[in-house]
């Protein structure tokens, strides 16, 4: 099985992605991760204004069979939360890099992005 | 080394993910639990349950032995009938739950028990030892390695089976068992299952399990869907909702009073009669979360003031209802519906209400 690993994202070993768009960093979980989790039924996320610290857990994604913490690829302040996931958590399965994103943050230090896995390195990890 | 069912390679080729369950390497999921679950509720799904045990009891005292070691009334079963029962020890604690089939006449054996995965040898030992003690004339055969077992479950199951069998399946009521052919293979066909839907369990020779499995072109289902389906019905999972060591529970505590026939003689009867008269201190109740969250096995249940009441033994997000549901043993004053409690979800007390299972009416 091959999983979608977009070239415009960077990745954490724990399967979160981050994409920089107009200075804001959008964060989600990878196609591989959503497949491993199975049917997502519940997502718990921080609130706008909360601070995320790199590599620390900031929320929970639950599927029918498992509970998973999600980790912050970069540090920053939450500027937006994907509220659609509250009623449609399955968006995370259906469109993990699009409609199923988790939060947007204002990065504390954009240089942190350079320390994340490149798409190539992440593809190697999940192969 | 885990045991494998005769369909293991076929499941692997179909893309299943696997887990160890009772010493067997079993498929958890083929496509998605939601898809598999919905197929069973709305149409039909097929399950490989070859990991379940098959123990055949025969001989002059087969009925007496079955009567003594199960809580239900084995003497009430005519050939071709089955019922659900518990096997209890002297103190009334459930060792296992099982369906007891009284085999059709002319079958090689009198009773068929279906112990849970990994409990077949223990069942055989227990039945043989008790028979020896009592001087009963019986033979106890472990046929787990001889039978594959396929469950065909869902509203479309009768029509699908009708196309592949010489039996008149419309004439079969629930909890019956008969001999026939399925996809040209000699089988024991039983109107049993653990999903709450109409359906069948097909006992077939181990080496011919593949032919029967392949005859039904319906959704393959794994243990994940079986777990959500059985939980919606409030059906117990052995080793989780009761376990002689980790969760010692009697049938009364577990809410399966209907399997206990106190007017028969069985191991644990006196203890259960006493509990029946006094009422159990704790009982299994349903919980429906009112706050957002998913209750999981092991989560603590408290009063609104935070006083410990018990813990969740099974919990999930119900795929059919879209609501978080759970089973938990709570003090008996919490067994009526609509008591308000809390389930502690990762440190956060979430509001929940008690209910009487099943969660889904079928």
């Amino acid at each position: 099985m091959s999983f979608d690993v977009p070239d415009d994202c960077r990745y954490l070993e724990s399967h979160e992605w981050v994409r920089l768009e107009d200075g804001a960093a959008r964060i989600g979980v990878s196609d591989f991760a959503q497949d491993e989790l199975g049917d997502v039924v519940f997502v718990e996320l921080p609130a706008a204004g909360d601070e995320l610290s790199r590599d620390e857990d900031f929320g929970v994604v639950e599927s029918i069979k498992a509970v998973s913490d999600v980790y912050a690829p970069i540090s920053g302040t939450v500027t937006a939360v994907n509220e659609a996931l509250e009623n449609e958590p399955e968006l995370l399965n259906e469109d993990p890099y699009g409609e199923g994103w988790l939060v947007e943050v204002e990065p504390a230090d954009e240089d942190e992005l350079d320390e994340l896995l490149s798409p190539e390195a992440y593809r190697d990890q999940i192969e | 080394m885990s045991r494998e069912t005769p369909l293991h390679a076929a499941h692997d080729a179909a893309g299943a993910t696997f887990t160890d369950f009772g010493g067997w390497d079993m498929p958890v999921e083929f496509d998605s639990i939601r898809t598999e679950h919905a197929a069973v509720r709305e149409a039909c799904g097929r399950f490989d349950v070859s990991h379940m045990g098959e123990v055949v009891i025969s001989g002059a005292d087969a009925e007496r032995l079955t009567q003594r070691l199960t809580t239900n009334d084995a003497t009430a079963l005519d050939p071709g009938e089955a019922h659900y029962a518990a096997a209890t020890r002297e103190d009334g604690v459930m060792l296992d739950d099982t369906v007891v089939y009284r085999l059709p006449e002319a079958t090689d054996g009198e009773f068929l028990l279906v112990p849970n995965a990994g409990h077949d040898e223990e069942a055989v030992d227990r039945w043989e030892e008790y028979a020896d003690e009592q001087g009963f004339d019986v033979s106890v055969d472990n046929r787990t390695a001889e039978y594959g077992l396929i469950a065909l479950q869902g509203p479309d199951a009768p029509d699908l089976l009708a196309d592949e069998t010489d039996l008149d399946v419309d004439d079969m009521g629930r909890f019956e068992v008969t001999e026939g052919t399925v996809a040209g293979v000699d089988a024991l066909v039983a109107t049993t299952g653990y999903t709450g839907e109409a359906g069948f369990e097909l006992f077939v020779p181990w080496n011919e399990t593949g032919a029967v499995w392949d005859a039904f072109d319906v959704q393959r289902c794994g243990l994940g869907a079986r777990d959500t389906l059985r939980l919606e019905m409030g059906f117990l999972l052995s080793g989780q909702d009761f376990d002689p060591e980790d969760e010692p529970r009697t049938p009364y505590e577990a809410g399966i009073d209907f399997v206990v026939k106190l007017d028969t003689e069985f191991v644990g009867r006196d203890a259960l009669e006493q509990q029946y008269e006094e009422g159990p201190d704790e009982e299994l109740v349903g919980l429906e979360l009112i706050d957002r969250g998913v209750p999981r096995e092991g989560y603590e249940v408290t009063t609104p003031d935070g006083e410990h009441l018990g813990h969740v033994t099974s919990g999930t997000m119900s795929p059919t209802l879209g609501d978080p549901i759970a089973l938990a043993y709570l003090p008996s004053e919490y067994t009526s519906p609509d008591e308000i409690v809390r389930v502690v979800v990762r440190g956060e007390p979430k509001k929940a209400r008690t209910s009487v299972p099943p969660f889904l009416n079928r």
Side-chain angles (χ1 to χ4, degrees), chain B residues 18 27 55 72 116 127 174 182-183 192 209 219 224 248 270:
Chain B
F18 291 86
V55 175
N72 212 329
N116 283 288
W127 286 61
R174 291 292 289 160
V182 177
T192 49
T209 312
Q219 178 69 51
D270 293 350

Side-chain angles (χ1 to χ4, degrees), chain A residues 39 44 62-66, chain B residues 29 33-34 294 296 346:
Chain A
D39 305 292
E44 193 172 281
E62 296 200 35
S63 65
I64 290 174
K65 65 184 177 192
Chain B
E29 197 173 352
I33 293 173
R34 194 189 294 281
V294 186
R296 305 270 182 187
R346 296 185 305 279

Side-chain angles (χ1 to χ4, degrees), chain B residues 260-324:
Chain B
V260 183
K261 299 291 153 63
L262 289 174
D263 56 351
T264 67
E265 188 184 347
F266 62 86
V267 174
R269 195 204 75 90
D270 293 350
L272 288 178
E273 183 172 45
Q274 189 182 343
Q275 191 174 52
Y276 175 78
E277 284 167 4
E278 293 171 0
D281 294 337
E282 294 188 330
E283 289 174 68
L284 196 69
V285 297
L287 294 175
E288 297 168 3
L289 245 61
I290 298 165
D291 288 339
R292 296 183 70 241
V294 186
R296 305 270 182 187
E297 182 189 356
Y299 286 4
E300 188 185 20
V301 182
T302 70
T303 65
D305 297 332
E307 183 193 338
H308 178 86
L309 291 175
H311 63 270
V312 169
T313 53
S314 289
T316 194
M317 185 70 84
S318 157
T320 306
L321 303 167
D323 295 324

